Structures are given as C-alpha cells and as structure tokens.
C-alpha cells in the first residue's frame, strides 16, 4: 500500500488491488466544505485523473467521528451581493470537482463512517455506491432548508434524479435527518455495515465487483422517475407543489420554494445545466436576509447557548441523579416524563398517591412501550418523605402563591440540605417564592413550556439570592434532559411570559377595534407565527391574562371595567358570556362536542367587527403583532431581565413561537434596520397607542446605526 499526504488534508492511499482510499481529514474536529477542503479535493481529483490508468477504483471515507459536517457557515453568512460572484466561482469549483470524480471512469464508493449532513451527503451522492455505518447516532440528510439555504453542491440535482421529485422534495425542503436504515429505504444508501472494518471491506468489494460503474444520470436515456417533459401525468405534481409549499411556509421562507424550483426546473434539463440552475437559486438565498437570520440565530447563537454562555464559570459539571416533581398534572407529568427519559430517577408527588399514580398513567400512555424503562424510573407518591433522596425538586402546581409556598416549604424540609429547589411558575417572581424556603440561595425558577415533551426551551430564572452554584446545576439539568436553556433575571412574567402576553392581547385589541377575527388569525400565520393569537388565548384560557392583569395592578374588584379595550373584550367574553376558552368548549372559537373542527364564534363579528375592518390595513395588523413583541423584548433587555441577545432570540422562537424566519425578536429589529424600525414603531404609536413607542435605548442605538 502506498500513502501520500501531499493532498492537503485528504489522505491518498492505493492498495495492491489499485483501490485508492481518500480519507477526509481537514483541520478541526469535523470536516467542513471550506477553502481547505476545496484545495485538498482539487489536488486529490487531479492526482486521480493523472494516475487513472493504475487505479481500479476509489473509496471515499473520513478520519473524523462524523463523515462530513457540511458547509462553512461562517463563510455562508458573510456572503453579500458584492461578494456573490467570488462565492459563485468557489461553488462552481467544488461542483466541478465532484463531477470529475463521478465521471473518472472508475467505480467510486463512499464508506460513510459517521453522520453525513449537507455537503457531506453531497459528496456521498457523487459516489456511485454508498455504504453506511449502521450506528444509531449516525444521521444523513440535508438540513440546509432549516437555515434558509438549499443543498447547492449538487444535493438537489442528484437527489431528484436518484429518487424522483415527489420522494426528494420532503427530504430536501423539511431538513429531515435519517438514520442509516431509513436512508437505505429512501434510496440514499445502498448497504449498511455493522463496524468500521466491514464498512471499508464492503466498499472495496463493491469497487472490485463493478469496474464499469456509472451514475444513473450518466446512463443514456435516463429520465427523472416521476417528471418527464410534456408528460400529462406530471402536470398534477407541477400544479400542486407550489400550493402545498405555500400553505406550509405562508411565503415567509424562500428556501423551500427555491428548492422546488431548482428540483422541477433541473429535472427538465440536462444534468450539468441543472447544476447551474441549482447554484443560481442558492446564490439568491445565501445573499438574502432570511438565511442570515436563521444561520445567525439557529446555528451561532443556539450553539453559543448550548456551550454554556449563560452558565456561571468555576463550577464543575453536575449530573442530577434524582428529581422530585411536585404536582402530577399536565406540567408536572411532562417534567417527570422528560427527566425519566433522560435517565433520571423521578419522585412524582401529588396530594395523594392516587393522584400521583394518575399522572404516571398519563406518562405511560404518552411513552408507550418504547420507553418502558423510563416509566420504571418514576415513583408516584403522596408523601413528602419520599423526596429524601432528591438532589433537585421542581414545583409544578397551580399559579397560586399561597399553594406554591405551602408545597415548597414542605418539600424543602424533606429534601436533602444540598438539594436545589425550583419552581415552574410562569409569572410569579422567584425572589418572592424563595421566601418559602430557609435557604433562598438554593432556590431558582425553571419555567417549562407546554407540552413539555415537545417544547425545546426551559427559561431559567435567577432570583435575587440565587447562587452561582445553584444556577450552574439548574443549567446542567436542562442540558441533561435535552432542552435548550436561557437564563434571565427575576421579574413578574420574566421574559417569555411578558412577550407572549403582548402577542395575545394585541390580537384581542385588534378584534376589539373592529378587525375581523379571521383576518387577525390569518395575518398572524402569514407573519410566521405558529398559531393565531385568538386560538392561543383559547388554549391558555381567557381568564389567565385577566388574572395576570388583575395581580399586576392589584385590582381590588375583579370584573370591574377595564381601561384597555383588549381586556374589556376578554372580560366580556369570559365573565359576562362564559366563553373562557377551549376547556369550556367556547371562547373566541366554538368547539363542537363531537370533536369536529373548531370555528370562530359568529358572535365576535356580530358584536365587534366593523365595516372595512375599522380601516386597519393588513400590513398594520402584521406589523402590530410582530412589533409589539419586539418592543417588549427591547424593554426587558433594557431593564436587565434579559442579559444577552442570544437568550432573547432563541427564547422568543423556542418558547413562544415568534416567527422563526425573523431569527427572533431582536434579530427582527436588526434585519428591519434599527432606524427604519424606530420610524415604523413611531407611526404605529401615533396611530394605535403608546405601547408601540420605542424606548430611549432603541432610539440611541438607531441614532448611532447600531443593532443588537
């Protein structure tokens, strides 16, 4: 065997059978499609072509734990219209290298020894045969769409020709990450291997057995399986595809639509022209604002948070061994479930063992047989004494201060003296709740979101006396259960609940002013919000914002007339008409007893809607719903409740469903342009109220041309 390392980070080894193994080994912990890769691959392909007559085939594999991590996001986020031509030239060079590899005239096999995402899968698809390590940690896929991009190194073009448009589109537009077995079923992978030696053996055996291998698309007469020029059978796909995508994206996300365009247009063209079409659409996306929003927040800022940006330094990592959960209702059961699935023993405590057992039964129903061992970790109880071995106790009872104080005091007395005591409150100040325990430096807020098993965020609230050690342990627990932590300082409603409140009350305000409720809901979804504000109000119950409003103002007479039209409307619906929300079967929507689809209550339009939606333009509705949340975030940051832009952006999207295409509430301000945002907010304030008036901190930033 001959070995030569002169190809700059791609090891070139030829064995006695003439098989060359190219082992990708770029600087850093993972292989990335960057300048180093481009130079190294150019040298490797040049050498393969020069030594072609002495080569029987090629195996491409990796020296890293993963096969290949994808594109260089530092470079991608920096591309501008001015630098786009240079980027296009580099992209063309990368695609040319892969094209030369697959048309070398020798069989090429990929030995995929770890996850192959984005550019890594594109390299593998440029090989004639793909063998993948059958490891449960391995994933294959194209996550580009989730970052506002498309697979631009041949991923769209090759996947469409390999699988057909209909099978390819979900994989390309939804960012699905498949396990090896799933990738084989989909058609990305041909064979699986149980170990690394078998992986390489299978790849080399295939090379020797298939000397005349060519790509399907290089076979004369090849056509995309389900899309042929001038074929009437293809018309249904062409007609339905854009409508289906628009229903999902509401026009907020250009990447899936560009992927569809590249897929369909490319399918009707020759292969090399299709590659150029794919590149053109990637250039449009990479220079656009949405991609920069998504990459900045959901790659750089998210990784920053998970790496411990908000965790106090100087404290050793801590693994929670046993957690006590107070309250076996929806939230408590959810917290117990995710903790047990993460391998933590759980004591689920309620007013009685029977009530706790009912909570455990709900968990069993949710988990099914897949997580039987997790269920075994949950011990239901009605006795505080069973909390004796817990190093973390989380209270998850109703939002009533006296009730919380009672259960917290009892639990703290039973738990070990080193245990961290936490509350899952969504509104009540942590510093006040800490009075229930004798050692407030061990007390902290852990605000989970519903449904707990699905929502990725936990908002950690630091009270005035919470110690760094307590915060570090809480942070580690959130990571241990697979959630994303943000850290905020204490305040009524903290961060997410305050911003969430502005969204739902703005929706109510629009209806109270005379805007048709259907328009409010539809514009909210078109703006990128996951659920309309009126539907959300029904889910949380209309009494919740009324109670929060009463507590905040210490209103002496609940039900007395409210000054704010939004709260007057909620008061009328909930307290006068008994329409308190989904749980009651009636709120903004009607909920049929037979479980049929909900519909907006006709009484809303009869009682409140005005002709021409009270003269409120659709763009104003759109902006009011987004601006009111962004402005509240700016205020919270200025008050020191939020301490980082990353916490704000990730928290707004992961916690309360702020439009993801914006990159979060503060990135929305940045992308809009701080001065333009201030000007627009002033217009909204002049027209609709002072809640839209920008705070002085934002004016100062805008005046200096600075963002967040």
């Amino acid at each position: 065997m001959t070995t030569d390392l002169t190809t700059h980070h791609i090891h070139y080894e030829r064995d006695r059978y003439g098989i060359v193994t190219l082992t990708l080994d770029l600087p850093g912990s993972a292989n990335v499609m960057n300048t180093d890769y481009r130079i190294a691959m150019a040298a490797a392909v040049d050498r393969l072509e020069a030594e072609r007559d002495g080569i029987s085939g090629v195996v491409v594999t990796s020296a890293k734990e993963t096969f290949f991590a994808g594109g260089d996001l530092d470079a991608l986020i920096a591309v501008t219209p001015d630098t786009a031509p240079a980027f296009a030239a580099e992209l063309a060079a990368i695609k040319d290298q892969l094209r030369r590899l697959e048309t070398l005239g020798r069989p090429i096999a990929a030995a995929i020894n770890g996850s192959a995402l984005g550019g890594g899968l594109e390299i593998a698809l440029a090989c004639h045969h793909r063998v993948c390590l059958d490891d449960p940690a391995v994933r294959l896929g194209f996550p580009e769409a989730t970052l506002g991009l498309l697979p631009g190194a041949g991923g769209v073009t090759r996947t469409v020709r390999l699988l057909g448009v209909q099978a390819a589109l979900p994989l390309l537009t939804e960012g699905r990450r498949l396990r090896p077995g799933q990738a084989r079923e989909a058609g990305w992978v041909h064979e699986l291997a149980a170990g690394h030696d078998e992986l390489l053996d299978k790849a080399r055996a295939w090379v020797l057995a298939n000397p005349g291998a060519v790509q399907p698309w290089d076979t004369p007469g090849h056509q995309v399986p389900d899309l042929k020029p001038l074929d009437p059978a293809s018309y249904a796909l062409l007609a339905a595809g854009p409508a289906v995508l628009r229903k999902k994206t509401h026009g907020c996300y250009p990447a899936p639509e560009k992927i569809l365009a590249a897929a369909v247009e490319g399918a009707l063209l020759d292969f090399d022209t299709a590659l150029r079409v794919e590149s053109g659409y990637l250039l449009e996306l990479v220079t656009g604002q949405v991609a920069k929003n998504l990459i900045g927040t959901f790659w750089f800022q998210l990784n920053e948070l998970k790496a411990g940006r908000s965790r106090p330094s100087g404290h050793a990592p801590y693994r929670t061994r046993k957690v006590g959960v107070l309250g076996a209702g929806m939230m408590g059961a959810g917290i117990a479930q995710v903790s047990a699935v993460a391998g933590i023993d759980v004591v689920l405590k309620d007013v009685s063992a029977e009530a706790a057992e009912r909570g455990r039964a709900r968990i069993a129903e949710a988990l099914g047989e897949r997580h039987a061992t997790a269920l075994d970790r949950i011990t239901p109880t009605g006795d505080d004494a069973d909390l004796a071995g817990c190093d973390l106790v989380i209270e998850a009872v109703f939002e009533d201060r006296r009730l919380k104080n009672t259960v917290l005091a009892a639990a703290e007395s039973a738990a070990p003296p080193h245990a961290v005591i936490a509350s899952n409150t969504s509104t009540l100040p942590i510093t006040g709740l800490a009075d229930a325990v004798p050692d407030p430096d061990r007390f902290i807020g852990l605000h989970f979101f519903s449904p707990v098993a699905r929502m990725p965020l936990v908002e950690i609230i630091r009270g005035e006396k919470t110690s760094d050690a307590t915060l570090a342990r809480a942070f580690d627990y959130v990571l241990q259960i697979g959630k994303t932590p943000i850290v905020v300082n204490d305040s009524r409603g903290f961060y997410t609940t305050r911003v969430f409140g502005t969204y739902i009350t703005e929706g109510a305000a629009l209806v109270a002013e005379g805007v048709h409720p259907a328009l409010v809901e539809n514009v909210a979804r078109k703006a990128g919000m996951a659920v309309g504000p009126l539907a959300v109000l029904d889910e949380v119950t209309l009494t919740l914002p009324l109670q929060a409003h009463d507590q905040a103002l210490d209103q002496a007479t609940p039900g007395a007339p409210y000054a704010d039209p939004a709260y007057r409307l909620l008061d009328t619906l909930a307290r006068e008409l008994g329409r308190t929300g989904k749980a009651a079967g009636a709120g903004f929507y009607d909920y049929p007893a037979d479980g049929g689809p909900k519909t907006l209550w006709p009484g809303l339009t009869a009682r409140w809607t005005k002709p021409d939606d009270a003269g409120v333009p659709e763009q104003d509705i759109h902006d009011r719903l987004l601006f009111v949340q962004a402005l509240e975030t700016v205020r919270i940051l200025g008050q020191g409740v939020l301490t980082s832009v990353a916490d704000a952006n990730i928290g707004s999207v992961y916690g309360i469903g702020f439009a993801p295409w914006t990159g979060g509430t503060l990135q929305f301000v940045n992308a809009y342009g701080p001065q333009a945002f201030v000007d627009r907010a002033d217009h909204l304030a002049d027209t609709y109220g002072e809640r839209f008036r920008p705070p002085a901190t934002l004016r100062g930033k805008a005046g200096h041309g600075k963002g967040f």
Side-chain angles (χ1 to χ4, degrees), residues 493-508:
F494 324 126
Y495 166 48
T496 56
T497 300
R498 278 178 62 178
V499 175
F500 173 74
T502 65
Y503 173 60
I504 58 177
T505 55
E506 195 61 33

Side-chain angles (χ1 to χ4, degrees), residues 482-497:
K483 303 291 185 184
T484 298
I486 64 168
V487 177
V488 301
N489 289 317
D490 196 18
S491 168
R492 178 175 289 277
F494 324 126
Y495 166 48
T496 56
T497 300

